[in-house]
Coordinates of all heavy atoms in Angstrom, one line a residue:
M1 N -19.7 9.3 -33.0 CA -19.3 9.2 -31.6 C -18.8 7.8 -31.3 O -19.4 6.8 -31.6 CB -20.6 9.5 -30.8 CG -20.2 9.7 -29.3 SD -21.7 10.3 -28.5 CE -21.8 9.1 -27.2
S2 N -17.6 7.8 -30.7 CA -17.0 6.5 -30.5 C -17.3 6.1 -29.0 O -17.3 6.9 -28.1 CB -15.4 6.6 -30.7 OG -14.9 7.5 -29.7
S3 N -17.5 4.8 -28.9 CA -17.8 4.3 -27.5 C -16.5 3.9 -26.9 O -15.5 3.6 -27.5 CB -18.8 3.1 -27.6 OG -18.2 2.1 -28.5
P4 N -16.5 3.9 -25.5 CA -15.2 3.5 -24.9 C -14.9 2.0 -25.1 O -15.8 1.2 -25.3 CB -15.6 3.7 -23.4 CG -17.1 3.8 -23.3 CD -17.6 4.2 -24.6
I5 N -13.6 1.7 -25.1 CA -13.2 0.3 -25.2 C -13.6 -0.5 -24.0 O -13.2 -0.1 -22.9 CB -11.7 0.2 -25.4 CG1 -11.3 1.0 -26.7 CG2 -11.2 -1.2 -25.5 CD1 -9.8 1.1 -26.9
P6 N -14.4 -1.6 -24.1 CA -14.9 -2.3 -23.0 C -13.8 -3.1 -22.3 O -13.8 -3.4 -21.1 CB -16.0 -3.2 -23.5 CG -15.7 -3.4 -24.9 CD -15.0 -2.1 -25.4
F7 N -12.8 -3.6 -23.1 CA -11.7 -4.4 -22.5 C -10.5 -4.3 -23.4 O -10.6 -4.0 -24.6 CB -12.2 -5.8 -22.3 CG -12.6 -6.5 -23.5 CD1 -11.8 -7.1 -24.4 CD2 -14.0 -6.6 -23.8 CE1 -12.2 -7.8 -25.5 CE2 -14.5 -7.3 -24.9 CZ -13.6 -7.8 -25.8
F8 N -9.4 -4.7 -22.8 CA -8.1 -4.8 -23.6 C -7.8 -6.2 -23.8 O -8.5 -7.1 -23.4 CB -7.0 -4.1 -22.8 CG -7.3 -2.7 -22.4 CD1 -7.6 -2.3 -21.1 CD2 -7.3 -1.7 -23.4 CE1 -7.9 -1.0 -20.8 CE2 -7.6 -0.3 -23.1 CZ -7.9 0.0 -21.8
T9 N -6.7 -6.4 -24.5 CA -6.2 -7.8 -24.8 C -5.0 -8.1 -23.9 O -4.1 -7.3 -23.9 CB -5.8 -8.0 -26.3 OG1 -7.0 -7.8 -27.1 CG2 -5.3 -9.4 -26.5
L10 N -5.0 -9.2 -23.2 CA -3.9 -9.6 -22.4 C -3.3 -10.8 -23.1 O -3.9 -11.8 -23.4 CB -4.5 -10.1 -21.0 CG -3.7 -10.7 -20.0 CD1 -2.4 -9.9 -19.7 CD2 -4.5 -10.9 -18.7
R11 N -2.0 -10.7 -23.4 CA -1.2 -11.7 -24.0 C -0.2 -12.3 -23.0 O 0.4 -11.6 -22.2 CB -0.4 -11.2 -25.2 CG -1.3 -10.8 -26.4 CD -0.5 -10.5 -27.6 NE -1.4 -10.1 -28.7 CZ -2.1 -9.0 -28.8 NH1 -1.8 -8.0 -27.9 NH2 -2.9 -8.7 -29.7
V12 N 0.0 -13.6 -23.1 CA 0.9 -14.3 -22.3 C 2.0 -15.0 -23.2 O 1.7 -15.8 -24.1 CB 0.2 -15.4 -21.4 CG1 1.3 -16.2 -20.6 CG2 -0.8 -14.8 -20.5
Q13 N 3.2 -14.6 -22.9 CA 4.3 -15.1 -23.7 C 5.1 -16.1 -22.8 O 5.1 -15.9 -21.6 CB 5.3 -14.0 -24.2 CG 4.6 -13.0 -25.1 CD 4.2 -13.6 -26.5 OE1 4.4 -14.8 -26.7 NE2 3.6 -12.8 -27.3
P14 N 5.8 -17.1 -23.3 CA 6.0 -17.4 -24.7 C 4.8 -18.1 -25.4 O 4.9 -18.4 -26.6 CB 7.2 -18.2 -24.7 CG 7.2 -19.0 -23.4 CD 6.5 -18.1 -22.4
Q15 N 3.8 -18.6 -24.7 CA 2.8 -19.4 -25.3 C 2.0 -18.7 -26.3 O 1.4 -19.3 -27.3 CB 1.8 -19.9 -24.2 CG 2.4 -20.8 -23.1 CD 2.9 -19.9 -21.9 OE1 3.2 -18.8 -22.1 NE2 2.8 -20.5 -20.8
G16 N 1.8 -17.4 -26.2 CA 0.9 -16.6 -27.1 C -0.6 -16.7 -26.8 O -1.4 -16.3 -27.6
D17 N -0.9 -17.2 -25.6 CA -2.3 -17.3 -25.2 C -2.8 -15.9 -25.0 O -2.0 -14.9 -24.6 CB -2.4 -18.0 -23.8 CG -2.1 -19.5 -24.0 OD1 -2.2 -20.0 -25.1 OD2 -1.7 -20.1 -22.9
T18 N -4.1 -15.7 -25.1 CA -4.7 -14.4 -24.9 C -6.0 -14.5 -24.1 O -6.6 -15.5 -24.0 CB -5.1 -13.7 -26.2 OG1 -6.0 -14.5 -26.9 CG2 -3.9 -13.4 -27.1
A19 N -6.3 -13.4 -23.4 CA -7.5 -13.3 -22.6 C -8.0 -11.8 -22.7 O -7.2 -10.9 -23.0 CB -7.3 -13.7 -21.1
D20 N -9.3 -11.7 -22.4 CA -9.8 -10.3 -22.3 C -9.3 -9.7 -21.0 O -9.4 -10.4 -20.0 CB -11.3 -10.3 -22.4 CG -11.9 -10.8 -23.7 OD1 -11.1 -10.8 -24.7 OD2 -13.0 -11.3 -23.7
A21 N -8.9 -8.5 -21.0 CA -8.4 -7.8 -19.8 C -9.3 -6.6 -19.5 O -9.3 -5.6 -20.2 CB -6.9 -7.3 -20.0
W22 N -10.1 -6.9 -18.5 CA -11.1 -5.9 -18.2 C -10.5 -4.8 -17.3 O -9.9 -5.1 -16.3 CB -12.3 -6.6 -17.5 CG -12.9 -7.6 -18.3 CD1 -12.5 -8.9 -18.4 CD2 -13.9 -7.5 -19.3 NE1 -13.2 -9.6 -19.3 CE2 -14.1 -8.7 -19.9 CE3 -14.7 -6.4 -19.6 CZ2 -15.1 -8.9 -20.9 CZ3 -15.7 -6.6 -20.6 CH2 -15.9 -7.8 -21.2
P23 N -10.7 -3.5 -17.6 CA -10.1 -2.4 -16.9 C -10.5 -2.4 -15.4 O -9.7 -2.0 -14.5 CB -10.7 -1.1 -17.5 CG -11.1 -1.6 -18.9 CD -11.5 -3.0 -18.8
E24 N -11.7 -2.9 -15.1 CA -12.2 -2.9 -13.7 C -11.8 -4.2 -12.9 O -12.1 -4.3 -11.7 CB -13.7 -2.7 -13.6 CG -14.5 -3.8 -14.2 CD -14.8 -3.8 -15.7 OE1 -13.9 -3.2 -16.4 OE2 -15.8 -4.4 -16.1
H25 N -11.1 -5.1 -13.6 CA -10.6 -6.3 -12.9 C -9.1 -6.4 -12.9 O -8.5 -5.9 -13.8 CB -11.1 -7.6 -13.6 CG -12.6 -7.8 -13.5 ND1 -13.3 -7.9 -12.3 CD2 -13.6 -8.0 -14.5 CE1 -14.6 -8.1 -12.5 NE2 -14.8 -8.1 -13.8
S26 N -8.6 -7.0 -11.9 CA -7.1 -7.2 -11.9 C -6.7 -8.1 -13.0 O -7.5 -8.9 -13.5 CB -6.7 -7.8 -10.5 OG -7.0 -9.2 -10.5
L27 N -5.4 -8.0 -13.4 CA -4.9 -8.9 -14.5 C -5.1 -10.4 -14.1 O -5.4 -11.2 -14.9 CB -3.5 -8.6 -14.8 CG -3.2 -7.2 -15.5 CD1 -1.7 -7.0 -15.6 CD2 -3.9 -7.2 -16.8
L28 N -4.9 -10.6 -12.8 CA -5.0 -12.0 -12.3 C -6.4 -12.5 -12.5 O -6.6 -13.6 -13.0 CB -4.6 -12.1 -10.9 CG -4.7 -13.5 -10.2 CD1 -3.8 -14.5 -10.9 CD2 -4.4 -13.5 -8.7
T29 N -7.4 -11.7 -12.2 CA -8.8 -12.1 -12.4 C -9.1 -12.3 -13.9 O -9.7 -13.3 -14.3 CB -9.7 -11.0 -11.8 OG1 -9.5 -10.9 -10.4 CG2 -11.2 -11.4 -12.1
S30 N -8.6 -11.4 -14.7 CA -8.8 -11.6 -16.1 C -8.1 -12.8 -16.7 O -8.7 -13.5 -17.5 CB -8.3 -10.3 -16.9 OG -9.1 -9.2 -16.6
L31 N -6.9 -13.1 -16.2 CA -6.3 -14.4 -16.6 C -7.1 -15.6 -16.3 O -7.3 -16.5 -17.1 CB -4.9 -14.5 -15.9 CG -3.8 -13.6 -16.4 CD1 -2.7 -13.5 -15.4 CD2 -3.2 -14.2 -17.7
E32 N -7.6 -15.6 -15.0 CA -8.5 -16.7 -14.6 C -9.8 -16.8 -15.3 O -10.2 -17.9 -15.7 CB -8.7 -16.6 -13.1 CG -7.4 -16.8 -12.3 CD -7.5 -16.5 -10.8 OE1 -8.5 -15.9 -10.4 OE2 -6.6 -16.9 -10.1
M33 N -10.4 -15.6 -15.6 CA -11.7 -15.6 -16.3 C -11.4 -16.1 -17.7 O -12.3 -16.7 -18.4 CB -12.2 -14.2 -16.3 CG -12.8 -13.8 -15.0 SD -13.3 -12.0 -14.9 CE -14.5 -11.8 -16.2
G34 N -10.2 -15.9 -18.3 CA -9.9 -16.4 -19.6 C -9.4 -17.8 -19.6 O -9.0 -18.3 -20.7
G35 N -9.4 -18.5 -18.4 CA -9.1 -19.9 -18.4 C -7.6 -20.2 -18.4 O -7.1 -21.3 -18.6
L36 N -6.8 -19.1 -18.1 CA -5.3 -19.3 -18.1 C -4.8 -19.5 -16.6 O -5.2 -18.8 -15.7 CB -4.7 -18.0 -18.7 CG -5.1 -17.7 -20.1 CD1 -4.4 -16.5 -20.6 CD2 -4.9 -18.9 -21.1
N37 N -4.0 -20.5 -16.5 CA -3.4 -20.8 -15.2 C -2.3 -19.9 -14.8 O -1.4 -19.6 -15.6 CB -2.9 -22.3 -15.3 CG -2.4 -22.8 -14.0 OD1 -2.9 -22.4 -12.9 ND2 -1.3 -23.5 -14.0
W38 N -2.4 -19.3 -13.6 CA -1.4 -18.4 -13.1 C -1.2 -18.6 -11.6 O -2.1 -18.8 -10.9 CB -1.9 -17.0 -13.3 CG -0.8 -16.0 -13.4 CD1 -0.3 -15.2 -12.4 CD2 0.0 -15.6 -14.6 NE1 0.7 -14.4 -12.9 CE2 0.9 -14.7 -14.2 CE3 0.0 -16.1 -15.9 CZ2 1.8 -14.1 -15.1 CZ3 0.9 -15.6 -16.8 CH2 1.8 -14.6 -16.4
P39 N 0.1 -18.6 -11.1 CA 0.3 -18.8 -9.7 C -0.2 -17.6 -8.9 O -0.1 -16.4 -9.3 CB 1.9 -18.8 -9.6 CG 2.4 -18.1 -10.8 CD 1.3 -18.4 -11.9
S40 N -0.8 -17.9 -7.8 CA -1.3 -16.8 -6.9 C -1.4 -17.4 -5.5 O -1.5 -18.6 -5.3 CB -2.6 -16.3 -7.3 OG -3.6 -17.2 -7.2
S41 N -1.4 -16.5 -4.5 CA -1.6 -16.9 -3.1 C -2.4 -15.8 -2.4 O -3.6 -15.9 -2.2 CB -0.3 -17.1 -2.4 OG -0.4 -17.5 -1.1
C42 N -1.8 -14.7 -2.0 CA -2.4 -13.7 -1.1 C -3.5 -12.9 -1.9 O -4.5 -12.4 -1.3 CB -1.4 -12.7 -0.6 SG -0.7 -11.5 -1.8
R43 N -3.3 -12.7 -3.2 CA -4.2 -11.9 -4.0 C -4.4 -10.4 -3.5 O -5.4 -9.8 -3.7 CB -5.6 -12.6 -4.1 CG -5.5 -14.0 -4.6 CD -6.9 -14.6 -4.7 NE -7.5 -14.1 -5.9 CZ -7.5 -14.7 -7.1 NH1 -6.7 -15.8 -7.3 NH2 -8.1 -14.2 -8.1
S44 N -3.4 -10.0 -2.8 CA -3.5 -8.6 -2.2 C -2.2 -7.8 -2.4 O -2.0 -6.8 -1.7 CB -3.9 -8.7 -0.8 OG -2.9 -9.4 0.0
G45 N -1.3 -8.3 -3.3 CA -0.1 -7.5 -3.6 C 1.0 -7.6 -2.6 O 1.9 -6.7 -2.6
S46 N 1.1 -8.6 -1.8 CA 2.1 -8.7 -0.8 C 3.0 -9.9 -0.9 O 4.2 -9.8 -0.6 CB 1.6 -8.6 0.6 OG 0.7 -9.6 0.9
C47 N 2.5 -11.1 -1.3 CA 3.4 -12.3 -1.3 C 4.3 -12.5 -2.5 O 5.2 -13.2 -2.4 CB 2.5 -13.5 -1.1 SG 1.6 -14.0 -2.6
R48 N 4.0 -11.8 -3.6 CA 4.8 -11.8 -4.8 C 4.7 -13.2 -5.5 O 5.5 -13.4 -6.5 CB 6.2 -11.4 -4.5 CG 6.4 -10.0 -4.0 CD 7.7 -9.8 -3.3 NE 8.8 -9.9 -4.2 CZ 9.5 -8.9 -4.7 NH1 9.1 -7.6 -4.5 NH2 10.5 -9.0 -5.5
T49 N 3.8 -14.0 -5.2 CA 3.6 -15.3 -5.9 C 3.3 -15.1 -7.3 O 3.7 -15.9 -8.2 CB 2.6 -16.2 -5.2 OG1 2.9 -16.4 -3.8 CG2 2.4 -17.5 -5.9
C50 N 2.5 -14.1 -7.6 CA 2.0 -13.9 -9.0 C 2.9 -13.0 -9.8 O 2.7 -12.8 -11.0 CB 0.6 -13.2 -9.0 SG 0.7 -11.5 -8.3
M51 N 4.0 -12.6 -9.2 CA 4.9 -11.6 -9.9 C 5.4 -12.1 -11.2 O 5.8 -13.2 -11.4 CB 6.1 -11.3 -8.9 CG 7.0 -10.2 -9.3 SD 8.1 -9.9 -7.9 CE 9.4 -9.0 -8.8
C52 N 5.5 -11.2 -12.2 CA 6.0 -11.5 -13.5 C 6.4 -10.2 -14.2 O 6.2 -9.1 -13.7 CB 4.9 -12.2 -14.4 SG 3.6 -11.1 -14.8
Q53 N 7.0 -10.4 -15.4 CA 7.5 -9.2 -16.1 C 6.4 -8.9 -17.2 O 5.9 -9.8 -17.8 CB 8.8 -9.4 -16.7 CG 9.9 -9.1 -15.7 CD 11.3 -8.8 -16.4 OE1 11.8 -9.7 -17.0 NE2 11.8 -7.6 -16.2
M54 N 6.2 -7.6 -17.3 CA 5.3 -7.1 -18.4 C 6.2 -6.5 -19.5 O 7.0 -5.7 -19.3 CB 4.5 -5.9 -17.8 CG 3.5 -5.3 -18.8 SD 2.4 -4.1 -18.0 CE 3.6 -2.9 -17.4
T55 N 6.1 -7.1 -20.7 CA 6.9 -6.7 -21.8 C 6.3 -5.7 -22.7 O 7.0 -5.1 -23.6 CB 7.4 -7.9 -22.6 OG1 6.2 -8.6 -23.1 CG2 8.2 -8.9 -21.8
A56 N 5.0 -5.5 -22.6 CA 4.3 -4.4 -23.3 C 3.1 -4.0 -22.6 O 2.5 -4.8 -21.8 CB 3.9 -4.9 -24.7
G57 N 2.7 -2.8 -22.7 CA 1.4 -2.3 -22.1 C 1.7 -1.4 -20.9 O 2.8 -1.1 -20.6
Q58 N 0.6 -1.2 -20.2 CA 0.7 -0.3 -19.0 C -0.4 -0.8 -18.0 O -1.5 -1.2 -18.4 CB 0.4 1.1 -19.4 CG 0.9 2.1 -18.4 CD 1.0 3.5 -19.0 OE1 0.5 3.8 -20.1 NE2 1.7 4.4 -18.4
V59 N -0.1 -0.7 -16.7 CA -1.1 -1.0 -15.7 C -1.1 0.1 -14.7 O -0.2 1.0 -14.6 CB -0.7 -2.3 -15.0 CG1 -0.7 -3.5 -15.9 CG2 0.7 -2.2 -14.3
R60 N -2.2 0.1 -13.9 CA -2.3 1.0 -12.8 C -2.5 0.2 -11.5 O -3.0 -0.9 -11.6 CB -3.4 2.0 -13.0 CG -4.8 1.4 -13.0 CD -5.9 2.4 -13.2 NE -7.2 1.6 -13.3 CZ -7.9 1.1 -12.3 NH1 -7.5 1.4 -11.1 NH2 -9.0 0.4 -12.5
Y61 N -2.2 0.8 -10.3 CA -2.4 0.1 -9.1 C -3.4 1.0 -8.2 O -3.3 2.2 -8.3 CB -1.1 -0.1 -8.3 CG -0.2 -1.1 -9.0 CD1 0.8 -0.6 -9.8 CD2 -0.4 -2.5 -8.8 CE1 1.7 -1.6 -10.4 CE2 0.5 -3.4 -9.4 CZ 1.5 -2.9 -10.2 OH 2.3 -3.8 -10.8
E62 N -4.3 0.3 -7.5 CA -5.2 1.1 -6.6 C -4.5 1.3 -5.3 O -5.0 2.1 -4.5 CB -6.5 0.4 -6.5 CG -7.3 0.5 -7.9 CD -8.7 -0.1 -7.8 OE1 -9.0 -0.8 -6.8 OE2 -9.5 0.3 -8.7
M63 N -3.5 0.5 -5.0 CA -2.8 0.7 -3.7 C -1.5 1.5 -4.0 O -0.9 1.4 -5.1 CB -2.4 -0.7 -3.1 CG -1.7 -1.6 -4.0 SD -1.1 -3.1 -3.3 CE -2.4 -3.6 -2.2
D64 N -1.1 2.3 -3.0 CA 0.1 3.1 -3.2 C 1.4 2.3 -3.3 O 2.3 2.6 -4.1 CB 0.3 4.1 -2.0 CG -0.8 5.2 -2.1 OD1 -1.3 5.4 -3.2 OD2 -1.1 5.8 -1.0
W65 N 1.5 1.2 -2.5 CA 2.8 0.5 -2.5 C 2.5 -1.0 -2.7 O 2.6 -1.7 -1.7 CB 3.5 0.8 -1.2 CG 4.0 2.2 -1.1 CD1 3.4 3.2 -0.3 CD2 5.0 2.8 -1.8 NE1 4.1 4.3 -0.5 CE2 5.1 4.2 -1.4 CE3 6.0 2.3 -2.7 CZ2 6.0 5.1 -1.9 CZ3 6.9 3.2 -3.2 CH2 6.9 4.6 -2.8
P66 N 2.2 -1.4 -3.9 CA 2.2 -2.9 -4.1 C 3.6 -3.4 -3.8 O 4.5 -2.7 -3.8 CB 1.8 -3.0 -5.6 CG 2.2 -1.7 -6.2 CD 2.0 -0.7 -5.1
G67 N 3.7 -4.7 -3.4 CA 4.9 -5.3 -3.0 C 6.0 -5.3 -4.0 O 6.6 -6.4 -4.3
L68 N 6.3 -4.2 -4.6 CA 7.4 -4.1 -5.6 C 8.2 -2.9 -5.3 O 7.8 -1.9 -4.9 CB 6.7 -3.8 -7.0 CG 6.0 -4.9 -7.8 CD1 5.3 -4.4 -9.0 CD2 7.0 -6.1 -8.1
L69 N 9.5 -3.1 -5.5 CA 10.5 -2.0 -5.4 C 10.3 -1.1 -6.6 O 10.0 -1.5 -7.7 CB 11.9 -2.5 -5.3 CG 12.2 -3.4 -4.1 CD1 13.6 -4.0 -4.3 CD2 12.1 -2.6 -2.8
P70 N 10.6 0.2 -6.4 CA 10.6 1.2 -7.5 C 11.5 0.7 -8.7 O 11.1 0.8 -9.9 CB 11.1 2.5 -7.0 CG 10.8 2.4 -5.5 CD 10.9 0.9 -5.1
E71 N 12.6 0.1 -8.3 CA 13.5 -0.4 -9.4 C 12.9 -1.6 -10.1 O 13.1 -1.8 -11.3 CB 14.9 -0.9 -8.8 CG 15.6 0.1 -7.9 CD 15.1 0.1 -6.5 OE1 15.1 -0.9 -5.8 OE2 14.6 1.2 -6.1
E72 N 12.2 -2.4 -9.4 CA 11.5 -3.6 -10.0 C 10.4 -3.1 -11.0 O 10.3 -3.6 -12.1 CB 10.9 -4.5 -9.0 CG 11.9 -5.3 -8.2 CD 11.4 -6.0 -7.0 OE1 10.3 -5.6 -6.5 OE2 12.0 -7.0 -6.6
K73 N 9.6 -2.1 -10.5 CA 8.6 -1.5 -11.4 C 9.3 -0.9 -12.7 O 8.8 -1.1 -13.8 CB 7.9 -0.4 -10.7 CG 6.8 -0.8 -9.8 CD 5.9 0.5 -9.5 CE 5.0 0.3 -8.3 NZ 4.3 1.5 -8.0
A74 N 10.4 -0.3 -12.5 CA 11.1 0.3 -13.6 C 11.6 -0.7 -14.6 O 11.7 -0.5 -15.8 CB 12.3 1.2 -13.1
E75 N 11.8 -2.0 -14.1 CA 12.3 -3.0 -14.9 C 11.2 -3.8 -15.6 O 11.4 -4.8 -16.3 CB 13.2 -4.0 -14.1 CG 14.5 -3.4 -13.7 CD 15.3 -4.3 -12.7 OE1 14.8 -5.4 -12.4 OE2 16.4 -3.9 -12.3
G76 N 9.9 -3.4 -15.3 CA 8.8 -4.0 -15.9 C 8.1 -5.1 -15.1 O 7.2 -5.8 -15.6
W77 N 8.5 -5.3 -13.8 CA 7.9 -6.3 -13.0 C 6.5 -5.8 -12.5 O 6.4 -4.6 -12.2 CB 8.8 -6.6 -11.8 CG 10.0 -7.4 -12.1 CD1 11.2 -6.8 -12.3 CD2 10.2 -8.8 -12.4 NE1 12.2 -7.8 -12.7 CE2 11.5 -9.0 -12.7 CE3 9.3 -9.9 -12.3 CZ2 12.0 -10.2 -13.0 CZ3 9.8 -11.1 -12.7 CH2 11.1 -11.3 -13.0
V78 N 5.5 -6.7 -12.5 CA 4.2 -6.3 -12.1 C 3.6 -7.4 -11.2 O 4.1 -8.5 -11.2 CB 3.2 -6.1 -13.3 CG1 3.7 -4.9 -14.1 CG2 3.1 -7.4 -14.1
L79 N 2.6 -7.0 -10.4 CA 1.9 -8.0 -9.6 C 0.5 -8.1 -10.1 O -0.4 -7.2 -9.8 CB 1.9 -7.5 -8.1 CG 3.2 -7.5 -7.4 CD1 3.1 -6.9 -6.0 CD2 3.8 -8.9 -7.3
P80 N 0.2 -9.1 -10.9 CA -1.1 -9.1 -11.6 C -2.3 -9.2 -10.7 O -3.4 -8.7 -11.1 CB -1.0 -10.5 -12.4 CG 0.4 -10.6 -12.6 CD 1.1 -10.1 -11.4
C81 N -2.2 -9.6 -9.4 CA -3.3 -9.7 -8.5 C -3.8 -8.3 -8.1 O -5.0 -8.1 -7.7 CB -3.0 -10.5 -7.3 SG -1.8 -9.8 -6.2
V82 N -3.0 -7.3 -8.3 CA -3.4 -5.9 -7.9 C -3.2 -4.9 -9.0 O -3.3 -3.7 -8.8 CB -2.7 -5.4 -6.6 CG1 -3.3 -6.2 -5.4 CG2 -1.2 -5.6 -6.7
A83 N -2.8 -5.4 -10.2 CA -2.6 -4.5 -11.3 C -3.8 -4.5 -12.3 O -4.3 -5.5 -12.6 CB -1.3 -5.0 -12.1
F84 N -4.2 -3.3 -12.7 CA -5.3 -3.1 -13.6 C -4.8 -2.6 -14.9 O -4.1 -1.6 -14.9 CB -6.3 -2.2 -13.0 CG -6.9 -2.7 -11.7 CD1 -6.2 -2.6 -10.5 CD2 -8.2 -3.3 -11.6 CE1 -6.8 -3.0 -9.3 CE2 -8.7 -3.8 -10.5 CZ -8.0 -3.7 -9.3
P85 N -5.3 -3.2 -16.0 CA -4.7 -2.7 -17.3 C -5.3 -1.4 -17.7 O -6.5 -1.1 -17.5 CB -5.2 -3.8 -18.3 CG -6.5 -4.3 -17.7 CD -6.3 -4.2 -16.2
T86 N -4.5 -0.5 -18.4 CA -4.9 0.7 -18.9 C -4.8 0.7 -20.5 O -5.1 1.6 -21.1 CB -4.2 1.9 -18.4 OG1 -2.8 1.7 -18.6 CG2 -4.4 2.0 -16.9
Q87 N -4.3 -0.4 -21.0 CA -4.1 -0.7 -22.4 C -3.8 -2.2 -22.6 O -3.8 -2.9 -21.6 CB -3.0 0.2 -23.0 CG -1.7 0.0 -22.4 CD -0.6 0.9 -22.9 OE1 0.4 0.4 -23.5 NE2 -0.8 2.2 -22.8
D88 N -3.6 -2.6 -23.8 CA -3.3 -4.0 -24.1 C -2.0 -4.3 -23.3 O -1.1 -3.4 -23.3 CB -3.1 -4.2 -25.6 CG -4.4 -4.2 -26.4 OD1 -5.4 -4.2 -25.8 OD2 -4.3 -4.1 -27.6
V89 N -1.9 -5.5 -22.8 CA -0.8 -5.9 -21.9 C -0.2 -7.2 -22.4 O -1.0 -8.1 -22.7 CB -1.3 -6.0 -20.4 CG1 -0.2 -6.6 -19.6 CG2 -1.6 -4.6 -19.9
T90 N 1.1 -7.3 -22.3 CA 1.8 -8.6 -22.6 C 2.6 -9.0 -21.3 O 3.4 -8.2 -20.9 CB 2.7 -8.6 -23.8 OG1 1.9 -8.2 -24.9 CG2 3.3 -9.9 -24.0
L91 N 2.3 -10.2 -20.8 CA 3.0 -10.7 -19.6 C 3.9 -11.9 -20.0 O 3.5 -12.7 -20.9 CB 2.0 -11.1 -18.5 CG 1.1 -10.1 -18.0 CD1 0.2 -10.7 -16.9 CD2 1.8 -8.9 -17.4
L92 N 5.0 -12.0 -19.3 CA 5.9 -13.2 -19.4 C 5.4 -14.2 -18.4 O 5.4 -13.9 -17.2 CB 7.3 -12.9 -19.2 CG 8.1 -12.3 -20.4 CD1 9.5 -12.1 -20.0 CD2 7.9 -13.1 -21.7
D93 N 5.0 -15.4 -18.8 CA 4.6 -16.5 -17.9 C 5.7 -16.9 -17.0 O 6.7 -17.4 -17.4 CB 4.1 -17.7 -18.7 CG 3.4 -18.7 -17.8 OD1 3.6 -18.7 -16.5 OD2 2.7 -19.6 -18.3
P94 N 5.6 -16.7 -15.6 CA 6.7 -17.1 -14.7 C 6.9 -18.6 -14.6 O 7.9 -19.0 -14.1 CB 6.2 -16.5 -13.4 CG 4.8 -16.4 -13.5 CD 4.5 -16.1 -14.9
Q95 N 5.9 -19.3 -15.1 CA 6.0 -20.8 -15.0 C 6.6 -21.4 -16.3 O 6.9 -22.6 -16.3 CB 4.6 -21.4 -14.8 CG 3.8 -20.8 -13.7 CD 2.4 -21.2 -13.7 OE1 1.9 -21.9 -12.9 NE2 1.6 -20.7 -14.7
A96 N 6.8 -20.6 -17.3 CA 7.3 -21.1 -18.6 C 8.8 -21.4 -18.5 O 9.5 -20.8 -17.8 CB 7.0 -20.1 -19.7
Ligands
LIG1 S1 -0.9 -13.3 -5.3 FE1 0.3 -12.4 -3.7 S2 1.2 -10.7 -4.6 FE2 -0.1 -11.4 -6.1

């Protein structure tokens, strides 16, 4: 019998830093718990301060309309403060 995966791996490019990405925590929280510096302000999916591109992986949102346009979502833009990982995720550091 296999046990559920307790967490995923969150990678930050181009640095290659990693953190544990807990399914029940936002990506922003997991970045901070992993000691990685990330821009943030509202922490509620509206100001877009934390916005970045996801180059691999998948996330889910608990809100219907996080502050992203459908086209932005289609291009891989995510809001880590309200995005929850459903698999391993790679983000591009907006400060890099
Ligand atoms: S911190 Fe404001 S949208 Fe993420």
